[in-house]
Amino acid sequence: MSDIAAELARVHSAFDRPTLRLLDRKWAPFVLAVFKSSFSRDRRSVQADRLHTQVDAYLADLRSVGSDVPGKNGRALCVQWMNDQWLYRETGDDGEEQYSLTSHALEALLLVDGLSRDRALISESRLTTIVDTVRHRATQANPDRDERIRRLDLEIAQKTAERDRLATGGEIAAASNDAMHEGYANLIDLITQLPSDFKRVEESVAGMHRQIVNDFRAEERPISEVLDEYLSKTDTLMSSTAEGRAFEGAFVLLRNDALLAELKNDLESIMLHPFALQLSAADRRSFMGTVSLIRKGVDDVLTQRNGLTTTLREHIVNHDVVKDRELERLLREINKELAIWMETAGPRSTVTAELMPGTLELEHLRERFYDPGAHKAPPPLEDVSALAPEPPTLDAMRTQGGPLLAELRDAMVTAFSIDGAASVGDAFNSLDPAMRRPVEILGLLQIATQVDAIDRTEAEAATAGSDTEAFETVRPDGSRRTFRVPRIILTDDDTAALAAMNYGSDHD
């Protein structure tokens, strides 16, 4: 009899895995497109509400172009994907819930990316990788000392011959763009598998975490026996699963900082080859982020493992045997009273019992005891009046104030009536420096507005063209600055009106 039945069972088992269930669904292209758009190597988790909103936006965009999409909203779809083991929801460091892709979803994305990307199925780079790996493992597997020495001598001779050739000025054959691109494609295939590999290790540790906690809570054996068993599980935590054993073996290399630094330099050397100009900026950035990807994956696994160790420690420390005995004694007393009650109770008799105890009504609950030190008077303030600067004089304060309107009116009346000033700017530039502060320009504009000189000047400027003049100002510190102001001319009626503002209408 053929073994087709066993093969069929094995295939059925493979199709029951979440990875193939994702690829076998009707909405698989939509789900994978959402995962690809929402998550990336740099964005491994998305806040829950934000992902719900993003999925709603994707649904609306696809409906607007006539694409067939699921009828549920973003929140319902995310919950369904979480139940299908494609999304994992957890509480982040900021206390908010967030989603991340499971290893099954990462494997599905990796498979789709591989099928949608043009790559050679066989190349010199891939065969060289296979041959070098087989040669290295064969050397490790062979216990024959002479054979291992022969292999090492052969490798040393080859390396020495190549070094001597280069030292004597031998030609260095530059790798072609095609050869480098083949090697790059082979590396990308290996690098893109790292996130799902790290995620499988995380999920394996998380599954062990849940199992140990459940076993601990349901344990009915003596506490000493429980502690012995779980301490032994802690010692063999990473060696009890295939993923954990693989990670422990790789961790020896991954925690070597010198090796990772050398790997980063090698990646930079590859990107300096001319073939890298054919790659997109995103491909180059992703390739150069390989070391960060490895460090992040290692940190995530170690964080998950530390969380398991912390949970075990908290369970052991917080497990109170006295409270367990008190609870057991209380339950026995309840059973005893229940047996007495059942002797006289009818078949439909009930007992009213509160599920939760009532709250205590306290007017005030003291939170801290009286501290005499809290009512001590503060130390006296230090007398620093001797260090106080000299107060400013009235004149110094006036130099920092607003325009001197009364003085400006007198000055304008004198300049136009006696001195024959041609314009307000001409009169201003002839004043004393103390009267030529920049703020005095605003005072002159206010004065001109009061006698309607501004409106008349604007009407004349509209007819003859705009005309401005320079106002040479002097700040209180002696610095000078020039401002361009519309040219304003005061008539005799204007100066009479200004004089009346200061001295009354009877002033001559």
Side-chain angles (χ1 to χ4, degrees):
M1 181 178 178
S2 64
D3 56 353
I4 185 63
E7 289 296 328
L8 180 60
R10 187 177 63 84
V11 173
H12 275 305
S13 176
F15 270 85
D16 287 337
R17 293 176 58 85
T19 300
L20 290 184
R21 280 196 284 107
L22 171 57
L23 298 174
D24 192 41
R25 295 292 177 88
K26 172 184 177 181
W27 304 113
F30 169 76
V31 177
L32 292 175
V34 170
F35 289 168
K36 188 70 174 177
S37 301
S38 302
F39 298 91
S40 65
R41 176 186 295 185
D42 300 327
R43 188 173 61 252
R44 299 189 177 191
S45 59
V46 179
Q47 199 267 338
D49 292 337
R50 180 179 179 184
L51 183 60
H52 298 161
T53 305
Q54 286 181 351
V55 175
D56 286 334
Y58 296 150
L59 291 170
D61 290 344
L62 292 176
R63 290 192 184 102
S64 65
V65 298
S67 297
D68 191 15
V69 294
K72 299 181 179 180
N73 59 15
R75 179 183 296 274
L77 288 175
C78 289
V79 172
Q80 177 184 338
W81 298 339
M82 184 179 64
N83 295 333
D84 290 332
Q85 301 181 37
W86 305 331
L87 283 181
Y88 179 71
R89 185 168 63 188
E90 61 182 347
T91 302
D93 297 335
D94 55 357
E96 296 185 355
E97 289 190 340
Q98 59 187 16
Y99 288 108
S100 60
L101 295 178
T102 64
S103 62
H104 310 296
L106 292 172
E107 288 177 349
L109 288 174
L110 180 62
L111 180 59
V112 172
D113 287 343
L115 294 176
S116 61
R117 183 173 62 241
D118 294 334
R119 65 182 182 90
L121 296 179
I122 187 172
S123 63
E124 179 186 358
S125 173
R126 190 173 295 270
L127 291 178
T128 301
T129 302
I130 295 174
V131 171
D132 291 342
T133 304
V134 171
R135 181 185 297 114
H136 178 67
R137 294 305 175 190
T139 301
Q140 291 182 329
N142 193 343
D144 188 350
R145 185 185 303 273
D146 295 335
E147 176 62 19
R148 181 170 295 192
I149 293 176
R150 186 191 69 80
R151 286 175 178 265
L152 292 175
D153 289 340
L154 179 60
E155 184 177 356
I156 292 173
Q158 293 175 348
K159 301 294 184 183
T160 302
E162 178 64 14
R163 180 190 178 283
D164 294 341
R165 186 184 71 82
L166 295 177
T168 55
E171 181 182 359
I172 300 178
S176 64
N177 288 352
D178 292 339
M180 290 298 297
H181 203 281
E182 289 179 1
Y184 168 79
N186 187 29
L187 287 175
I188 287 298
D189 285 341
L190 298 176
I191 293 172
T192 51
Q193 298 175 19
L194 289 176
S196 60
D197 292 341
F198 282 123
K199 199 65 178 181
R200 278 196 297 271
V201 179
E202 285 186 59
E203 292 174 354
S204 176
V205 177
M208 185 182 300
H209 187 173
R210 291 190 296 270
Q211 183 63 38
I212 289 179
V213 170
N214 292 335
D215 292 345
F216 195 92
R217 290 174 178 172
E219 194 60 60
E220 297 179 353
R221 292 172 294 172
I223 186 64
S224 59
E225 183 179 344
V226 175
L227 291 178
D228 290 341
E229 179 176 347
Y230 287 112
L231 288 176
S232 63
K233 284 186 178 181
T234 304
D235 295 336
T236 60
L237 180 61
M238 297 302 293
S239 61
S240 58
T241 62
E243 294 85 355
R245 289 191 294 271
F247 177 79
E248 284 290 343
F251 186 60
V252 177
L253 297 177
L254 297 179
R255 64 183 176 183
N256 188 337
D257 292 337
L259 178 63
L260 292 179
E262 184 177 355
L263 173 61
K264 184 177 181 180
N265 294 333
D266 292 341
L267 294 174
E268 293 176 351
S269 299
I270 294 175
M271 286 292 100
L272 292 176
H273 194 274
F275 96 98
L277 299 176
Q278 304 173 4
L279 304 177
S280 64
D283 290 338
R284 292 195 295 269
R285 184 169 57 252
S286 176
F287 186 75
M288 289 302 301
T290 301
V291 175
S292 300
L293 174 66
I294 294 175
R295 292 186 184 275
K296 184 65 169 61
V298 173
D299 292 340
D300 290 343
V301 174
L302 294 181
T303 300
Q304 192 72 37
R305 187 172 65 176
N306 293 337
L308 174 55
T309 305
T310 302
T311 301
L312 289 176
R313 183 178 65 251
E314 290 178 352
H315 273 286
I316 293 173
V317 172
N318 297 327
H319 184 73
D320 194 336
V321 179
V322 176
K323 290 185 178 180
D324 289 348
R325 291 175 180 174
E326 292 177 352
L327 178 60
E328 184 180 0
R329 186 184 308 112
L330 178 60
L331 293 177
R332 281 200 302 266
E333 293 178 357
I334 292 176
N335 288 331
K336 185 187 302 182
E337 295 295 331
L338 181 61
I340 296 175
W341 176 73
M342 288 296 295
E343 294 178 356
T344 58
R348 296 185 181 274
S349 300
T350 58
V351 175
T352 302
E354 296 183 0
L355 295 179
M356 295 296 294
T359 57
L360 296 178
E361 296 182 0
L362 299 177
E363 296 182 358
H364 176 72
L365 182 62
R366 185 177 295 278
E367 297 179 357
R368 60 181 180 179
F369 295 103
Y370 173 75
D371 183 8
H375 296 274
K376 290 182 178 179
L381 296 178
E382 183 181 358
D383 185 7
V384 294
S385 57
L387 303 179
E390 292 293 333
T393 62
L394 180 60
D395 292 337
M397 293 176 63
R398 293 189 64 188
T399 60
Q400 304 298 328
L404 305 174
L405 297 179
E407 290 82 346
L408 287 175
R409 293 192 191 99
D410 287 342
M412 291 299 105
V413 171
T414 302
F416 278 91
S417 301
I418 301 176
D419 299 337
S423 64
V424 172
D426 185 23
F428 178 84
N429 293 332
S430 63
L431 297 178
D432 294 336
M435 292 288 294
R436 288 162 55 192
R437 297 178 301 158
V439 71
E440 307 297 352
I441 298 178
L442 300 178
L444 289 175
L445 295 177
Q446 179 180 346
I447 291 173
T449 303
Q450 292 174 341
V451 296
D452 295 332
I454 293 292
D455 295 337
R456 184 177 63 253
T457 301
E458 291 179 351
E460 294 174 355
T463 303
S466 62
D467 187 12
T468 61
E469 58 183 339
F471 279 61
E472 302 291 340
T473 63
V474 181
R475 293 191 177 96
D477 59 358
S479 61
R480 297 175 177 269
R481 184 173 180 182
T482 302
F483 294 90
R484 302 296 301 184
V485 182
R487 182 181 179 85
I488 303 173
I489 300 176
L490 300 179
T491 63
D492 293 340
D493 293 338
D494 296 337
T495 56
L498 293 179
M501 290 181 187
N502 278 0
Y503 304 104
S505 58
D506 297 334
H507 178 72
D508 187 1

